[in-house]
Amino acid sequence: MADLQQASMENMIIMIEEIKSKLKMASAAAMQASSYNLDKYEDIKDIYEVITSKDKFSISEVEAIVSELGKLRS
């Protein structure tokens, strides 16, 4: 597993892909790592850690996470 402590575009891509996978997002194609600036890395990492800590999400949780990710887009 990658060392996600280091802010890099490669790590951002890993986290975004995992978030999309875990949320089984229908609009996953619309969520590209390139849409996020590296200065938002810690915020993305926080969301990633929440996502990877749970197996299932309610619809309202998914909506909240997607909303938060939308706010972080550049």
Side-chain angles (χ1 to χ4, degrees):
M1 177 168 242
D3 176 15
L4 299 177
Q5 299 305 314
Q6 182 67 34
S8 69
M9 188 49 85
E10 291 81 15
N11 286 345
M12 181 91 77
I13 291 168
I14 289 168
M15 291 187 296
I16 296 292
E17 291 303 316
E18 180 67 17
I19 291 168
K20 291 189 311 189
S21 174
K22 287 281 279 198
L23 294 181
K24 298 173 181 63
M25 291 178 57
S27 61
M31 194 172 111
Q32 300 296 323
S34 60
S35 300
Y36 299 91
N37 286 326
L38 208 49
D39 64 338
K40 302 291 186 191
Y41 186 86
E42 287 301 320
D43 296 320
I44 298 291
K45 187 168 174 275
D46 290 342
I47 293 171
Y48 170 82
E49 289 172 350
V50 169
I51 296 294
T52 57
S53 71
K54 293 182 71 172
D55 289 329
K56 296 183 179 191
F57 299 91
S58 69
I59 291 171
S60 60
E61 287 175 316
V62 171
E63 289 173 349
I65 293 165
V66 170
S67 174
E68 191 60 34
L69 287 168
K71 292 176 190 173
L72 296 174
R73 291 179 74 167
S74 41

